[in-house]
């Protein structure tokens, strides 16, 4: 039986509270800088967090040492220390090494029960912090912010990103909605890869793709300066075969929408072959050339002339749309262009418009212009700010995993859910039957004999419904 109060709490009441009182006194009597007070309190409270974790783990280990269930099947080998990095900092605790009497692998059973794997140096909360920050800034900064007072290397952060498993995430299925018109927009980012050796190619880039489905402009959430899309869902990453990407989008549409009610689905993009391929996979879909790339093309063809009249003529011919008039305007532009390089750019612009004429016609005939196309904005929002807006040397696997992470977060996914789902999947695959039997029997014994739990923290024995009680109960209940 331990003392009448949980030891770490008792110690905190005797010494930690005094430290807090002194910090508050110094704050009130000093320059009243709130940052200093916050950091001081954080240090004290994080120390308490480490002490509680240590005591909980050591009490659980002591229970296992004294358990009659354990004595039947497991022998004590030795007791040793372990260190693990947590959000509170490094936690050091003692635990027992057991071996099964019937033969088999030896285990630190308390580590198994709380999900600490052999040779594991950091807890999942540190990984969650690192992954969350890595999606916003850099591996280095993520390593600095992963844990209080202790940082991890950018290599360690990168390894955690590379090991993320997105197959554990699934799209929730709701009652199918009746929507007449759906919109799909698609584009890709251009990310510079690490370049090794003497022959560094300027074409050494990765192109993560993004496809998103939505129901048009959300009038309630939009403003004059910023348009917001209604019920947007992102898909994307690095795909060797884009058929898989389109199948993901098609599967989502089939699960979320009543296709008997849907009349039209517009696929908008820059006309790349992989984007046009979506029409083959998405039922009732048509390709539309997006307004951003169309406008960019018109500017490219006319900017060097500094002639607003001819630019407007080209725009009017495209908006009408009149294919022959477009050719006529381009002929005039070329006659006014002397520079050979500029002539090449004008010819490419003309070819681009004519090659995507079907997408231009559908846009004009069916009024798609009122919806607009926001792919560039979404590529920037989801991908570019992290992957390509600042010079970085990515590996191909790094681009693939990070783009998946950014898509996951863009859909409102929580890194906590991602990491913990991956952990649960791994634990399920690695479970050993003999260990499961021990846990099951330990629970049975605990339920039949209340005095078996006398070695638990007193907060549980006394049954006080405090925050500490609930937390410890949740942990100890796993035995």
């Amino acid at each position: 039986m331990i003392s009448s109060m949980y030891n770490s709490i008792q110690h905190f009441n005797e010494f930690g509270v005094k430290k807090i009182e002194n910090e508050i006194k110094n704050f009130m009597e000093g320059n009243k800088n709130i940052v200093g007070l916050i950091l001081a309190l954080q240090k004290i409270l994080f120390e308490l967090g480490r002490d509680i974790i240590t005591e909980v783990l050591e009490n659980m280990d002591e229970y296992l040492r004294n358990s009659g269930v354990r004595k039947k099947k497991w022998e004590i080998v030795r007791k040793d220390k372990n260190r693990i990095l947590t959000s509170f900092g490094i936690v050091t605790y003692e635990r027992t090494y057991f071996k099964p009497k019937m033969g088999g692998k030896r285990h630190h059973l308390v580590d198994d029960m709380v999900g600490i794997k052999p040779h594991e140096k950091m807890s999942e909360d540190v990984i969650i912090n690192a992954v969350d920050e890595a999606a916003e800034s850099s591996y280095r900064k993520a390593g600095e912010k992963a844990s209080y007072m202790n940082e991890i290397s950018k290599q360690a952060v990168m390894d955690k990103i590379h090991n993320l498993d997105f197959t554990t995430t699934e799209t929730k299925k709701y009652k199918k909605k009746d929507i007449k018109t759906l919109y799909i927009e698609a584009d890709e980012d251009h990310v510079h890869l690490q370049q090794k050796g003497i022959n560094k190619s300027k074409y050494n880039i990765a192109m993560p793709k993004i496809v998103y489905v939505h129901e048009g402009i959300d009038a309630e959430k939009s403003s004059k300066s910023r348009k917001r899309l209604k019920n947007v869902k992102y898909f994307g990453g690095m795909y060797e075969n884009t058929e898989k990407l389109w199948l993901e989008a098609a599967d989502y549409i089939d699960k979320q929408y009543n296709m008997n009610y849907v009349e039209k689905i517009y696929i908008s993009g820059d006309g790349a072959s992989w984007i046009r391929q979506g029409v083959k996979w998405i039922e009732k879909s048509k390709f539309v050339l997006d307004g951003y790339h169309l406008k960019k093309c018109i500017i490219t063809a006319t900017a060097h002339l500094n002639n607003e009249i001819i630019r407007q003529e080209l725009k009017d011919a495209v908006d009408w749309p009149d294919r022959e008039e477009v050719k006529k305007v381009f002929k005039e532009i070329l006659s006014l262009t002397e520079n050979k390089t500029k002539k090449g750019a004008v010819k490419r612009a003309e070819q681009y418009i004519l090659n995507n004429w079907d997408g231009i016609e559908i846009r004009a005939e069916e009024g798609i212009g009122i919806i607009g196309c926001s792919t560039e904005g979404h590529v920037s929002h989801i991908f570019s700010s992290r992957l390509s807006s600042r010079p970085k040397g990515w590996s191909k696997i790094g681009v693939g995993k990070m783009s998946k992470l950014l898509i996951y977060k863009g859909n409102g996914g929580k890194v906590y859910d991602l990491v913990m789902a991956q952990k649960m999947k791994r634990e399920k695959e690695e479970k050993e039957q003999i260990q499961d039997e021990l846990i099951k029997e330990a629970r049975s014994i605990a339920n039949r004999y209340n005095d078996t739990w006398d070695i638990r923290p007193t907060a549980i024995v006394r049954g006080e419904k405090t925050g500490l009680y609930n937390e410890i109960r949740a942990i100890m209940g796993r035995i």
Side-chain angles (χ1 to χ4, degrees), residues 195-363:
Q195 300 188 35
K196 299 178 181 180
I198 299 174
N199 297 319
K200 296 181 178 181
S201 171
K202 65 179 180 179
Y203 300 108
N204 192 19
I205 58 175
M207 293 184 288
K209 294 173 173 56
I210 183 171
V211 167
Y212 53 99
V213 182
H214 63 90
E215 299 167 15
I217 301 297
D218 191 331
E220 294 182 359
K221 296 182 180 180
S222 297
S223 62
K224 290 182 179 180
S225 60
R226 186 178 180 85
K227 302 296 182 184
R228 294 190 178 274
L229 303 180
K230 188 175 183 180
N231 296 325
V232 61
K233 176 71 175 182
Y234 299 100
F235 305 89
M238 292 289 291
Y239 290 82
E240 291 184 8
N241 188 340
T242 51
E243 290 180 3
K244 183 179 179 182
L245 173 58
W246 285 114
L247 284 172
E248 289 176 10
D251 182 61
Y252 167 79
I253 292 172
D254 183 63
K255 289 179 179 178
Q256 300 298 116
Y257 299 98
N258 181 358
M259 286 305 296
N260 292 327
Y261 191 86
V262 173
E263 295 178 357
K264 299 175 182 178
I265 300 178
Y266 296 108
I267 299 178
S268 177
D270 65 1
S273 59
W274 75 268
I275 296 176
R276 285 179 169 275
Q277 187 186 46
V279 176
K280 299 178 182 178
W281 298 100
I282 306 297
E283 185 183 351
K284 300 181 181 180
S285 65
K286 298 179 180 180
F287 169 72
V288 182
L289 183 63
D290 74 79
Y292 173 84
H293 288 93
L294 184 56
K295 181 180 179 180
K296 183 179 177 181
C297 185
I298 292 173
I299 293 173
T300 300
T302 59
H304 63 288
L305 297 178
N306 195 23
N307 187 326
E308 288 298 326
I309 295 177
I310 200 167
R311 177 179 294 178
Q312 190 61 47
E313 287 178 356
L314 180 57
K315 185 178 183 303
D316 290 343
V318 169
D319 289 343
W320 183 248
D322 187 328
R323 186 183 180 93
E324 294 307 314
E325 184 64 22
V326 166
K327 291 181 179 179
K328 180 180 176 181
V329 175
F330 267 109
K331 187 175 181 179
E332 182 181 357
I333 293 171
L334 285 169
S335 69
L336 297 172
T337 304
E338 297 179 357
N339 184 281
K340 186 177 180 180
T341 302
K342 293 293 183 183
K343 279 183 178 288
V346 172
K347 289 178 180 179
R348 287 192 295 273
E350 180 182 15
Q351 196 63 46
Y352 178 80
I353 288 176
L354 295 178
N355 286 346
N356 289 288
W357 194 252
D358 58 335
I360 293 173
E361 284 186 319
I362 291 174
R363 183 182 190 87

Side-chain angles (χ1 to χ4, degrees), residues 177-192:
K177 293 190 287 186
D178 293 336
I179 301 293
K180 288 186 176 181
T181 305
L182 291 174
Y183 303 88
I184 302 176
E185 303 183 26
D187 205 355
E188 60 194 5
D189 200 4
H190 294 73
V191 183
H192 290 279

Side-chain angles (χ1 to χ4, degrees), residues 1 34 41 56 68 76 88 155 172 179 191-193 213 295 331 431:
M1 174 73 73
I34 189 66
L41 293 178
V56 167
I76 293 174
F88 293 135
Q155 179 66 42
K172 293 182 181 179
I179 301 293
V191 183
H192 290 279
L193 297 176
V213 182
K295 181 180 179 180
K331 187 175 181 179
K431 274 185 178 179

